[in-house]
Amino acid sequence: MRKPKLDAHQTPTIQVIERMFTLIDVLASREEAMQLKDISERAGLHPSTTHRILNDLTCGRFVDRPEAGTYRLGMRLLELGNLVKARLSVRDAALGPMRELHRLTQQPVNLSVRQGDEIVYVERALSERSGMQVVRAIGGHAPLHLTSTGKLFLATEDAQRVRAYATRTGLPGHTRNSITQLPQLERELGKARQLGVAYDNEELELGVRCMAAGIHDDQGNLIAGLSISAPADRLDEAWLSRLKQTAQEISTALGFANHRA
């Protein structure tokens, strides 16, 4: 029986991806570096094909080449694994405190992390009684400079990196309140550094304001932001102390110790 004819453009790409995964699995089966010949035999691939794919994986740091002709899994996989682990850990640690904060404020409470030039929402605590018309779904994303949590992440960076972000993204706006000029963004980030919290004043969605506090890991790195969203005329500054307290509680659960007085 003849096999169905696949798209000529798709077939090579799918085949290469499958072979990449096979090679990664082969390398994962051994703790020490492996010779090219052994890798190709275990993967059932021609040595030249194995060599070409491993070189591509080496360029992306998914594979290391400690010596000529030998390969092992690279640090990029460790970095990605730690990122996934951190996201899972922070979500587990945050869920209970988030629900309690939502109970007290009766407004949506969001947990989000940075992914490149955007923040991604990984958990929410909300109810139908919150009165929010706009709901950011889990997995939704938004530009850093238009969100309260995103500003927290930008505030951790030096002036050169902030300028690079502005150049790279062009600082697009979503509403008439959006910050689209670098000097204004720099002033906003200065306030965030001073206060330890950041705001979204109808910059992402008209009629919706947010306040965010940072969540840190055991190394003191900012890994997520906890924010309260509310209709613009109902965001209550009295929630701020409880928001910061909740973010600190989650950070402590992740091993962060705040040594400041």
Side-chain angles (χ1 to χ4, degrees):
M1 181 181 294
R2 296 180 62 184
K3 294 181 179 180
K5 186 175 181 180
L6 298 176
D7 188 295
H9 297 290
Q10 292 182 348
T11 306
T13 301
I14 294 172
Q15 189 177 62
V16 169
I17 292 173
E18 289 176 344
R19 289 173 173 176
M20 288 172 62
F21 288 143
T22 298
L23 292 174
I24 288 174
D25 285 339
V26 169
L27 291 173
S29 70
R30 300 274 291 275
E31 291 185 9
E32 67 275 10
M34 298 178 65
Q35 295 285 339
L36 176 63
K37 179 183 177 182
D38 294 336
I39 299 171
S40 62
E41 288 180 353
R42 285 174 173 264
L45 298 173
H46 193 277
S48 64
T49 300
T50 303
H51 183 262
R52 184 178 67 252
I53 296 175
L54 286 174
N55 279 347
D56 289 341
L57 288 170
T58 299
C59 291
R61 297 172 53 239
F62 292 96
V63 168
D64 286 339
R65 188 165 43 208
E67 297 178 3
T70 66
Y71 300 86
R72 66 187 178 193
L73 293 182
M75 293 301 294
R76 182 59 179 154
L77 290 170
L78 177 62
E79 293 169 1
L80 292 174
N82 285 337
L83 179 62
V84 172
K85 179 182 177 182
R87 289 181 179 178
L88 292 175
S89 298
V90 71
R91 182 184 178 277
D92 291 342
L95 197 52
M98 286 176 66
R99 288 172 174 164
E100 177 62 16
L101 184 60
H102 167 64
R103 187 187 68 79
L104 293 172
T105 64
Q106 289 300 302
Q107 301 299 329
V109 176
N110 317 289
L111 179 70
S112 47
V113 298
R114 180 174 185 172
Q115 183 171 296
D117 290 336
E118 297 182 314
I119 61 108
V120 178
Y121 297 87
V122 295
E123 190 54 78
R124 305 194 86 222
L126 75 163
S127 66
E128 296 299 324
R129 294 176 297 171
S130 66
M132 294 291 292
Q133 299 301 312
V134 178
V135 175
R136 291 258 156 197
I138 295 174
H141 52 88
L144 294 175
H145 67 288
L146 298 182
T147 64
S148 53
T149 291
K151 290 174 186 175
L152 290 177
F153 279 102
L154 285 175
T156 66
E157 302 197 329
D158 59 28
Q160 183 177 353
R161 289 182 177 273
V162 173
R163 286 195 297 270
Y165 168 83
T167 300
R168 191 166 60 246
T169 63
L171 298 181
H174 283 202
T175 76
R176 61 176 178 268
N177 289 358
S178 297
I179 294 176
T180 58
Q181 300 298 320
L182 179 57
Q184 185 182 2
L185 177 61
E186 290 174 330
R187 289 192 295 272
E188 188 80 0
L189 298 182
K191 294 177 184 177
R193 293 185 190 103
Q194 181 180 5
L195 299 174
V197 294
Y199 293 84
D200 161 14
N201 291 306
E202 300 184 76
E203 297 159 53
L204 185 63
E205 306 279 359
L206 283 176
V208 179
R209 295 180 63 214
C210 302
M211 57 172 66
I215 295 171
H216 299 79
D217 65 10
D218 59 345
Q219 302 299 310
N221 300 311
L222 179 67
I223 59 170
L226 187 69
S227 62
I228 299 174
S229 303
D233 59 350
R234 285 167 50 190
L235 190 71
D236 192 341
E237 291 291 332
W239 298 333
L240 189 56
S241 61
R242 189 54 192 250
L243 172 65
K244 294 173 72 173
Q245 180 182 338
T246 303
Q248 180 62 43
E249 178 184 346
I250 298 168
S251 298
T252 301
L254 296 173
F256 174 67
N258 188 347
H259 299 294
R260 291 179 298 179

